[in-house]
Amino acid sequence: MMTPDTEEALAAAIRDASGPLLVQGNGTKLSMLRPVQAAAMLSTANLSGITLYAPNELVMSAKAGTRLSEIEKTLAEAGQQMICEPPHIHGENQTIGGIVASNLSGPRRVTGGAIRDHVLGVRAVNGSGEILKFGGRVLKNVTGLDVAKLLTGSFGTLAVMTEVTFKVLPVSEATGTIVLRGLDAEQGVAALSAGLGSPFFVTGAAYLPAERKAFLRIEDFATSVKYRTEKLAGQLSEFGAAEILGTEDSIALWRDIRDCKFLEASEAVWRLSVVPSAGPAILRALAPLGVTGFLDWGGGLVNLTGPADQATHDAVCQAASVAGGTWWLMQAPEPLRAVVDVVPPEPVALAAIRARVQASFDPRGILNPGRLRAA
Amino acid sequence: MLQPKPKSNVLEKRAEIIAGLKAVLPERAVIGDDVSLKPYETDGLTAYKQMPLAVVLPEDEAQVVAVMKFCHLHGIRIIPRGAGTSLSGGALPLADAVVIGMMRMNKILDINYADRYAVVQPGVTNIAITQAVQDEEFFYAPDPSSQLACMIGGNVSMNSGGAHCLKYGVTANNLLGLRLVTIEGEVLEIGGKQMDAAGYDWLGLITGSEGQLGVLTEVTVRILHSPEGARAMLAGFASNEVAGACVDAIISSGIIPVALEFMDKPAIHACEDFAHAGYPLDAEALLIIEVEGSETEQTEMLARIRDICAAYNPVSMRVSQTAEESAAIWKGRKGAFGAVGRISPDYLCMDGTIPTSQLPNVLKRMQAMSDEYGLKVANIFHAGDGNLHPLIMFDANDVESFHKAEAFGADILKLCVEVGGCLTGEHGVGIEKRDLMSVQFTPAELDQQRRIKTAFDPDWLLNPSKVFPLSGLSAAA
Ligand SMILES: Cc1cc2nc3c(=O)[nH]c(=O)nc-3n(C[C@H](O)[C@H](O)[C@H](O)COP(=O)(O)OP(=O)(O)OC[C@H]3O[C@@H](n4cnc5c(N)ncnc54)[C@H](O)[C@@H]3O)c2cc1C
């Protein structure tokens, strides 16, 4: 395991590598997607620390190995937060580099955008060991190709990020949650959809089938939250009487939703992104197979757990495909992950371009080969 | 402006090429005579002009595919074009290139309110999307000032912004999916109607790629419900520095207004003459601040903002009382470029971005440069996100004045990079800033971007001579 403590040393390690490298931060996401066959490991764990924080500009930069928990603590001290609420499903050791490399976003993604919407710049080392910087620290930047976005969500297969810069958000003065009870999934998603299609700026919209409850979150100044939760609850009266949660209860609830606390313990975990109205049918179609889960992002994020076998996996992929959506195999025993499509296969024309783009960053094919697709 | 040498084998075969295009497209979709080609010789950066070899106006995706295959086979360069409002010369033709104009692909294909998206063809204008959904009180958020004319395909290609981006983000943050025809004539489906896509973020890469990677034939955008209401206020200050400091104070207070726009004195006067919006003529700098929500929410938020502004001794403060008043305030702002055009018919509109804390510093240094070059500059910009739009006024009949204006503009952009910003916040690199790219990127960084371009377009037929310095073009092609 190589844990260089400077960007230069990391670049040298890549230049000197004689074969494939397993690229990781603290390795919290190694049970996600495909296993990588590599003799050597390269970790960003020792590239750590916040390098810039300008609260008045809503901008932070941190070296890739900085723990998310440290970032969130620093932000909280200044009354700010990560916009997309990255889930803590991989524990407290996950690094900011890992969050960006996996483009993992939480509940606020539904209106606030994903981590890919908030990354302003990256420093990274490509497969030839070149140190490159794309984007910057300003909120608007269209100079050249948006390579920072391309690297976001690329799971270390194009370049190893060494530092990321992202936009942050002030924490709202208050948070309120509308809870609607006794709804089936279709009714639940209809309620979420009505809320998201209202003028009240809903920043969280989840449905829990096990509890038959739909949740809608509003964050703002206290008087606004009070006004908007009441007004929206009134507009949603066809879905039954609403309970309204205050700030503390809301924060605890949405933290649990963010961290997928409502998923039953099971061997395999999937994440599906589909149009919101497709969520309920997917839950229903998969229930007979012992696959359970809940809906976030207004119904469009389907978090699922179930048995880790090929037939179940195929059924999950099928359900996502039928809905025109996409999937990630978030967790499963290695033998299964090694043989299935952990993300949707690509059409031929796109696969050819992808291979060329990949080679343009990593001509020797040494960075996380096979992490997303069989090499 | 240096352009790549036209391919003589293409120029020589012009008649054959036009006939060949007519063979794969309906006759009405091909323009080959000089009179009809004239409107395509320039775009929003009118200082540069070049007649193209021909123009094609495809009516559907199959015709786009046919054009791409034809041009690919014959090694003909292609310039994609929307409404031609680019301010960086993104749609400027080349003598040996076919312009592929998207204006006839202007249908709205699908609108879904429950799942909150609209599927549109690339030639639909920005405003037309909002118009199509406004009866249901929905809107498409990014609102470039050119929204009456500019097309969504152009918006995606430039990753355009607008006055309301502070709250709603730029084009990239409001897209779900695309269809892109590659130079080989393959159709790629990128993203979809859902929020996240697995695999690489092609949607993010293609957005803002300025026609370098393919031709867009379909765009799926997010649509949002309109707020209950919106109200603008004006705050005038005694100096640019003070106004800049006030912007900082507002953002750091935790309030994110939906828009936060800045005008300096020359801009205030030009816009007031044009829009009669009641802008304070005695102020050195003016902020337009807009908030959204119910009546009570607006009042409350504006009261907070007024308190913040008050600490900076404003020379005037006025909250709009009626919808008409708000409309007039925005008319002045959105018509700002035109208004400056009335004082000086010729101006260059720059578009750098800086960290907002650098506003006072940069405005001061820009004023010094203005004195040095002897050219007036008016500043109108999106202050909340540090995106500057200095308008440099010059006299197009005086070649020296134009060259000075270009040099002044380049100096401003270099200053933006020096203080931690970038060359362009929303107008794109185009032809205008391509030779400044090495100020912001190292050779290795430029080469990495060129290799990505090559992965999509191995022969560099798509919109060549834009974005990347020319030296690299000859190396790659
Ligand atoms: C008065 C005025 C005000 C403006 N205000 C703003 C503003 O507030 N914010 C802002 O961001 N911009 C602004 N602009 C700039 C301009 O309007 C935007 O860049 C706009 O998005 C361009 O759209 P268009 O349809 O005119 O594209 P064009 O100018 O025709 O083309 C722009 C680029 O996109 C490419 N392109 C176009 N269509 C396609 C397609 N279908 N497939 C592939 N590539 C394509 C072209 O090759 C070119 O590189 C303004 C311009 C003017 C003249």
Side-chain angles (χ1 to χ4, degrees):
Chain A
M1 166 97 97
M2 293 178 280
T3 54
D5 44 22
T6 64
E7 186 179 61
E8 254 316 318
L10 185 135
I14 292 177
R15 276 196 298 272
D16 296 344
S18 55
L21 297 170
L22 171 61
V23 180
Q24 60 169 60
N26 282 331
T28 63
K29 296 178 181 59
L30 292 178
S31 61
M32 189 179 165
L33 306 183
R34 300 182 79 253
V36 172
Q37 302 299 329
M41 269 201 232
L42 177 62
S43 160
T44 59
N46 281 346
L47 295 176
S48 176
I50 293 167
T51 46
L52 167 101
Y53 182 27
N56 53 339
E57 292 173 20
L58 309 176
V59 174
M60 178 180 268
S61 306
K63 291 189 194 165
T66 314
R67 282 189 170 80
L68 178 66
S69 51
E70 181 188 334
I71 285 169
E72 289 180 332
K73 186 164 159 275
T74 306
L75 287 171
E77 281 162 10
Q80 298 191 338
Q81 61 188 344
M82 298 280 294
I83 307 178
C84 73
E85 297 174 274
H88 289 215
I89 44 180
H90 299 110
E92 295 310 307
N93 272 339
Q94 49 183 349
T95 62
I96 189 67
I99 293 289
V100 173
S102 56
N103 190 29
L104 272 179
S105 312
R108 204 176 290 113
R109 195 263 179 268
V110 71
T111 30
I115 188 91
R116 58 86 78 176
D117 293 296
H118 309 133
V119 169
L120 302 174
V122 299
R123 293 179 66 90
V125 181
N126 68 12
S128 306
E130 292 176 315
I131 298 174
L132 307 170
K133 148 186 108 342
F134 294 104
R137 57 166 290 196
V138 286
L139 302 186
K140 269 165 87 180
N141 186 347
V142 296
T143 322
L145 296 177
D146 196 344
V147 182
K149 277 212 177 61
L150 183 63
L151 295 184
T152 304
S154 66
F155 284 90
T157 60
L158 296 174
V160 180
M161 284 183 269
T162 54
E163 186 182 72
V164 295
T165 301
F166 48 92
K167 188 176 158 188
V168 300
L169 186 74
V171 176
S172 304
E173 185 180 282
T175 304
T177 305
I178 297 173
V179 186
L180 298 163
R181 296 161 185 288
L183 305 181
D184 66 21
E186 269 80 8
Q187 293 166 321
V189 168
L192 301 181
S193 180
L196 288 165
S198 79
F200 303 114
F201 217 72
V202 168
T203 63
Y207 173 76
L208 297 182
E211 302 184 17
R212 295 173 63 81
K213 284 182 192 162
F215 303 95
L216 295 121
R217 175 174 66 178
I218 288 176
E219 300 169 290
D220 212 316
F221 291 108
T223 46
S224 273
V225 169
K226 181 171 185 316
Y227 161 75
R228 286 194 247 150
T229 42
E230 283 169 8
K231 186 110 191 237
L232 179 56
Q235 288 189 2
L236 297 177
S237 59
E238 62 176 297
F239 299 100
E243 179 192 352
I244 293 179
L245 306 182
T247 299
E248 249 173 65
D249 290 342
S250 291
I251 288 174
L253 170 75
W254 288 97
R255 188 180 296 140
D256 286 350
I257 293 173
R258 177 194 79 181
D259 297 343
C260 296
K261 288 284 162 58
F262 302 98
L263 282 185
E264 285 171 27
S266 202
E267 273 198 306
V269 179
W270 296 268
R271 190 174 161 95
L272 276 49
S273 175
V274 295
V275 287
S277 57
I282 291 176
L283 289 177
R284 200 162 351 91
L286 297 173
L289 303 175
V291 176
T292 60
F294 73 96
L295 307 176
D296 196 354
W297 301 355
L301 175 66
V302 189
N303 287 298
L304 297 171
T305 55
D309 56 60
Q310 176 99 41
T312 310
H313 178 74
D314 289 349
V316 170
C317 302
Q318 170 74 10
S321 301
V322 167
T326 186
W327 70 83
W328 295 260
L329 180 54
M330 296 294 290
Q331 184 193 309
E334 192 165 318
L336 182 69
R337 292 189 288 122
V339 298
V340 299
D341 286 326
V342 295
V343 294
E346 299 162 315
V348 179
L350 186 59
I353 290 175
R354 192 259 308 148
R356 295 202 290 265
V357 168
Q358 213 168 343
S360 83
F361 281 89
D362 178 19
R364 292 178 292 164
I366 58 169
L367 299 178
N368 268 350
R371 186 86 167 94
L372 282 159
R373 309 169 191 284
Chain B
M1 174 69 48
L2 205 60
Q3 288 290 55
K5 211 164 111 15
K7 300 183 180 181
S8 54
N9 60 330
V10 169
L11 290 182
E12 282 158 14
K13 289 202 205 126
R14 181 172 178 203
E16 265 169 73
I17 290 169
I18 291 171
L21 287 166
K22 284 185 177 163
V24 297
L25 295 177
E27 177 100 25
R28 60 178 182 274
V30 182
I31 300 175
D33 66 285
D34 284 351
V35 174
S36 317
L37 287 178
K38 188 84 178 146
Y40 298 92
E41 69 172 354
T42 189
D43 60 11
L45 185 64
T46 49
Y48 296 104
K49 293 186 170 55
Q50 171 62 57
M51 291 284 273
L53 191 78
V55 171
V56 293
L57 304 174
E59 292 150 2
D60 58 33
E61 186 178 87
Q63 293 181 11
V64 175
V65 170
V67 173
M68 299 296 260
K69 287 192 166 154
F70 179 86
C71 290
H72 183 235
L73 183 68
H74 296 96
I76 303 165
R77 293 167 169 158
I78 292 180
I79 313 287
R81 182 183 177 102
T85 66
S86 167
L87 291 170
S88 58
L92 181 74
L94 290 167
D96 60 351
V98 171
V99 169
I100 178 162
M102 304 306 290
M103 56 283 264
R104 289 195 184 155
M105 290 183 65
N106 61 359
K107 287 189 256 323
I108 293 182
L109 303 174
D110 187 16
I111 298 173
N112 186 318
Y113 295 103
D115 288 328
R116 300 171 297 284
Y117 65 80
V119 184
V120 304
Q121 290 187 323
V124 170
T125 59
N126 173 290
I127 193 84
I129 303 179
T130 291
Q131 283 167 347
V133 298
Q134 69 191 8
D135 284 351
E136 299 289 326
E137 292 181 45
F138 275 66
F139 72 113
Y140 171 63
D143 59 338
S145 305
S146 51
Q147 68 188 145
L148 295 177
C150 67
M151 297 170 180
I152 190 69
N155 291 177
V156 173
S157 302
M158 288 310 199
N159 192 11
S160 301
H164 294 84
C165 290
L166 195 54
K167 177 168 178 189
Y168 295 109
V170 294
T171 304
N173 311 118
N174 289 276
L175 296 180
L176 297 171
L178 303 171
R179 288 171 73 89
L180 182 85
V181 181
T182 67
I183 188 66
E184 275 120 12
E186 299 278 356
V187 179
L188 305 182
E189 274 185 72
I190 304 296
K193 300 181 173 71
Q194 77 282 2
M195 293 208 144
D196 277 3
Y200 295 159
D201 189 356
W202 301 118
L203 189 61
L205 179 71
I206 292 165
T207 306
S209 65
E210 305 195 22
Q212 295 291 315
L213 307 181
V215 173
L216 298 164
T217 49
E218 196 177 287
V219 181
T220 302
V221 300
R222 295 181 73 174
I223 50 172
L224 304 173
H225 196 286
S226 314
E228 285 186 283
R231 208 175 333 157
M233 67 172 276
L234 299 172
F237 296 90
S239 74
N240 287 339
E241 287 78 9
V242 175
C246 185
V247 168
D248 234 27
I250 294 172
I251 299 285
S252 49
S253 75
I255 301 173
I256 302 200
V258 57
L260 182 43
E261 301 284 298
F262 187 116
M263 287 190 199
D264 67 3
K265 188 161 195 168
I268 299 169
H269 283 253
C271 295
E272 178 59 19
D273 286 350
F274 159 77
H276 308 294
Y279 295 163
L281 295 173
D282 53 341
E284 286 296 322
L286 174 69
L287 297 181
I288 302 175
I289 308 160
E290 187 170 72
V291 299
E292 287 181 346
S294 67
E295 284 290 331
T296 330
E297 288 181 296
Q298 293 168 23
T299 309
E300 193 184 329
M301 220 180 314
L302 287 172
R304 286 175 194 258
I305 293 171
R306 289 173 66 118
D307 284 348
I308 296 171
C309 291
Y312 294 85
N313 301 318
V315 297
S316 73
M317 265 208 288
R318 183 164 64 87
V319 172
S320 136
Q321 299 302 332
T322 62
E324 291 73 50
E325 224 179 310
S326 287
I329 287 174
W330 279 113
K331 183 177 170 213
R333 169 58 187 92
K334 290 208 171 177
F337 295 174
V340 169
R342 301 189 345 160
I343 349 175
S344 164
D346 309 301
Y347 62 83
L348 285 180
C349 172
M350 310 314 289
D351 171 51
T353 307
I354 55 169
T356 51
S357 58
Q358 292 287 336
L359 270 179
N361 171 30
V362 167
L363 291 175
K364 195 183 271 167
R365 286 180 61 184
M366 210 188 293
Q367 192 51 55
M369 288 181 197
S370 161
D371 296 342
E372 221 169 276
Y373 279 100
L375 291 176
K376 278 202 269 185
V377 59
N379 265 295
I380 297 165
F381 56 85
H382 313 300
D385 43 32
N387 187 191
L388 305 179
H389 288 323
L391 303 179
I392 303 171
M393 296 173 236
F394 67 99
D395 176 3
N397 296 321
D398 173 356
V399 183
E400 204 198 329
S401 157
F402 173 61
H403 289 312
K404 267 200 207 163
E406 282 201 311
F408 182 7
D411 280 351
I412 293 175
L413 297 184
K414 286 178 196 161
L415 173 62
C416 291
V417 174
E418 180 196 315
V419 301
C422 65
L423 296 174
T424 171
E426 60 180 16
H427 294 169
V429 177
I431 196 154
E432 185 200 20
K433 285 163 289 236
R434 68 169 193 217
D435 296 319
L436 289 172
M437 286 289 274
S438 48
V439 176
Q440 190 172 326
F441 295 106
T442 64
E445 288 158 4
L446 281 173
D447 282 343
Q448 179 62 68
Q449 294 179 62
R450 287 194 184 101
R451 289 195 300 269
I452 296 171
K453 152 91 172 154
T454 307
F456 279 81
D457 177 20
D459 304 324
W460 282 59
L461 294 176
L462 281 165
N463 214 6
S465 85
K466 318 285 167 64
V467 184
F468 301 105
L470 274 194
S471 51
L473 176 68
S474 45

